[in-house]
Amino acid sequence: MADTTTDKPLPQPRGEEADFFAAARAHRLAYQRCRACDRTASYPRVLCPHCGSLEVALLTSEGRGVVHAFTTQMRPGGPGFAADVPYTLALVDLEEGFRGFGDLVGVPVDEVRIGLPVQVVFDDVTDDVTLPRYTPRTGEGS
């Protein structure tokens, strides 16, 4: 069972982003594919951000990707993050063609690099909030 309290800010999903967080609670990484232009996007939206079509489908990613860019925080982003310093935030290019964002866990900050193969993992932060995070894939150059 997840912790029911945290001193960190938590997402307050509304609209279509609620679908993303509902999928995360089920340990699924949601993204959209447009039926009109066949492009992908994440987080869920009413319209395709590429062509404006309403014909978007919510799908589940395998959660495999590579680090596109990252930043390592040496100072906390707020009081709730003080115990986590240093921590790394990463943009991840997922195999399905969209870019995800999240904490990079399970790797020392001095071993993080662009192109690092990663896999999504889910952190049940509270009973209501689960966050996707990324960890190195084993045996793939990590």
Side-chain angles (χ1 to χ4, degrees):
M1 180 152 118
D3 186 7
T4 57
T5 62
T6 182
D7 56 350
K8 295 177 183 173
L10 294 175
Q12 302 294 315
R14 56 185 198 271
E16 294 72 35
E17 62 194 35
D19 294 337
F20 175 85
F21 287 102
R25 276 195 313 278
H27 290 198
R28 294 184 298 109
L29 183 62
Y31 72 101
Q32 286 180 320
R33 180 171 299 280
C34 178
R35 292 185 185 109
C37 71
D38 201 38
R39 293 178 71 186
T40 59
S42 180
Y43 56 92
R45 301 167 180 132
V46 172
L47 301 172
C48 171
H50 307 290
C51 74
S53 172
L54 290 169
E55 297 299 317
V56 291
L58 191 65
L59 304 171
T60 299
S61 169
E62 293 294 320
R64 296 168 50 96
V66 297
V67 172
H68 172 81
F70 66 92
T71 184
T72 298
Q73 301 298 114
M74 298 304 205
R75 296 184 344 179
F81 298 93
D84 300 334
V85 173
Y87 59 93
T88 300
L89 304 170
L91 284 174
V92 175
D93 289 333
L94 281 297
E95 290 178 350
E96 292 86 0
F98 69 96
R99 190 165 286 156
F101 175 78
D103 296 323
L104 196 56
V105 297
V107 59
V109 296
D110 59 345
E111 293 180 19
V112 178
R113 61 180 170 73
I114 292 173
L116 178 70
V118 294
Q119 174 71 41
V120 72
V121 293
F122 294 93
D123 182 2
D124 298 316
V125 179
T126 70
D127 290 337
D128 297 321
V129 176
T130 298
L131 297 176
R133 303 190 191 286
Y134 296 90
T135 192
R137 293 194 309 245
T138 57
E140 296 189 45
S142 54

